[in-house]
Amino acid sequence: NAGVTQTPKFRILKIGQSMTLQCTQDMNHNYMYWYRQDPGMGLKLIYYSVGAGITDKGEVPNGYNVSRSTTEDFPLRLELAAPSQTSVYFCASSYSAGVFNTGELFFGEGSRLTVL
Amino acid sequence: AQTVTQSQPEMSVQEAETVTLSCTYDTSESDYYLFWYKQPPSRQMILVIRQEAYKQQNATENRFSVNFQKAAKSFSLKISDSQLGDAAMYFCAYRSARNTDKLIFGTGTRLQVFP
């Protein structure tokens, strides 16, 4: 009963390095999301996907890229890491099909990223 | 654009007592969902309770209940018989029923539970 799985859970990067946060879900959800959570703040949407091959920007997409080649996987790539990208990143998924929409998002456990 | 506001950064409650967390939101839509998510120190976001805007009846899940006031755009969470395990960050969230792409979060309320 894995749900949404994110890796790695912790990572320290140097300024200018690149990395990919992995996210996979086994619930056959069509929607997937990446959020970031800064200290004392709520979650802000980075990118989302409504299905394989389709991605779109959220509130704070700059400095990130995503791809969605399969229903299960939604990796988030950080290019040229900056201290401003120090945050906790959450992947989430949900299912929506026409009028059937529970509205609920299922979250991974988060990935804490520090850029020094 | 829709917004969600949680005006209480921190709240505290004695074990076995009742506490209410506040949330207000702004939207021009009539059909939407509202949620309360709990984030314990382990960080994983857990759904506590959800409310469909078209339902007048307030949602209840065991010790958790909401007071949904659609006209006032208010969605408070009441926790009864508080337990030590209830200590966490609580986030209020909004999702449009029509534009289902995004969940919009408030800034959260940190709840402390004292024995």
Side-chain angles (χ1 to χ4, degrees):
Chain A
N1 195 14
V4 179
T5 303
Q6 292 179 233
T7 57
K9 287 187 169 44
F10 301 93
R11 183 73 185 269
I12 298 175
L13 282 180
K14 293 182 179 178
I15 293 173
Q17 285 186 320
S18 299
M19 75 158 296
T20 299
L21 297 176
Q22 301 291 345
C23 176
T24 187
Q25 53 91 9
D26 62 359
M27 297 174 282
N28 201 32
H29 286 170
N30 49 351
Y31 283 49
M32 294 188 74
Y33 309 81
W34 275 106
Y35 285 89
R36 61 177 284 173
Q37 183 181 27
D38 298 327
M41 303 293 288
L43 280 69
K44 292 191 176 180
L45 183 64
I46 305 171
Y47 270 96
Y48 66 99
S49 168
V50 301
I54 305 169
T55 62
D56 209 346
K57 297 178 180 179
E59 299 174 75
V60 290
N62 291 342
Y64 307 94
N65 276 301
V66 294
S67 60
R68 184 98 182 270
S69 56
T70 66
T71 299
E72 295 79 16
D73 300 308
F74 191 43
L76 176 71
R77 178 128 181 110
L78 281 72
E79 306 281 2
L80 300 174
S84 61
Q85 293 178 304
T86 294
S87 190
V88 180
Y89 291 83
F90 288 93
C91 182
S93 71
S94 70
Y95 183 75
S96 178
V99 298
F100 180 76
N101 180 3
T102 67
E104 178 184 355
L105 266 64
F106 294 80
F107 286 85
E109 294 182 350
S111 300
R112 182 178 295 277
L113 176 67
T114 302
V115 182
L116 299 174
Chain B
Q2 295 88 5
T3 58
V4 177
T5 302
Q6 293 178 251
S7 59
Q8 305 156 316
E10 291 193 6
M11 293 284 285
S12 60
V13 64
Q14 208 86 29
E15 202 174 4
E17 297 296 308
T18 295
V19 64
T20 298
L21 309 183
S22 301
C23 173
T24 58
Y25 58 94
D26 189 26
T27 184
S28 58
E29 298 179 331
S30 60
D31 199 10
Y32 48 86
Y33 302 93
L34 295 165
F35 305 86
W36 279 98
Y37 279 87
K38 172 184 177 182
Q39 186 181 40
S42 65
R43 291 203 314 245
Q44 186 159 21
M45 301 282 281
I46 303 164
L47 179 68
V48 175
I49 199 164
R50 67 190 287 267
Q51 174 84 41
E52 291 93 339
Y54 65 86
K55 289 186 178 178
Q56 292 187 337
Q57 188 173 4
N58 290 323
T60 299
E61 288 288 341
N62 300 315
R63 298 181 296 107
F64 298 88
S65 62
V66 298
N67 184 5
F68 173 48
Q69 301 288 329
K70 191 172 184 179
K73 295 180 183 174
S74 171
F75 183 61
S76 60
L77 175 69
K78 185 172 83 170
I79 306 174
S80 304
D81 186 25
S82 297
Q83 301 176 358
L84 295 177
D86 294 334
M89 283 288 289
Y90 286 81
F91 291 95
C92 180
Y94 169 100
R95 187 175 188 183
S96 167
R98 180 186 305 178
N99 180 10
T100 57
D101 301 344
K102 308 175 189 68
L103 196 64
I104 300 167
F105 287 86
T107 51
T109 297
R110 180 173 301 281
L111 178 66
Q112 293 182 303
V113 182
F114 295 103

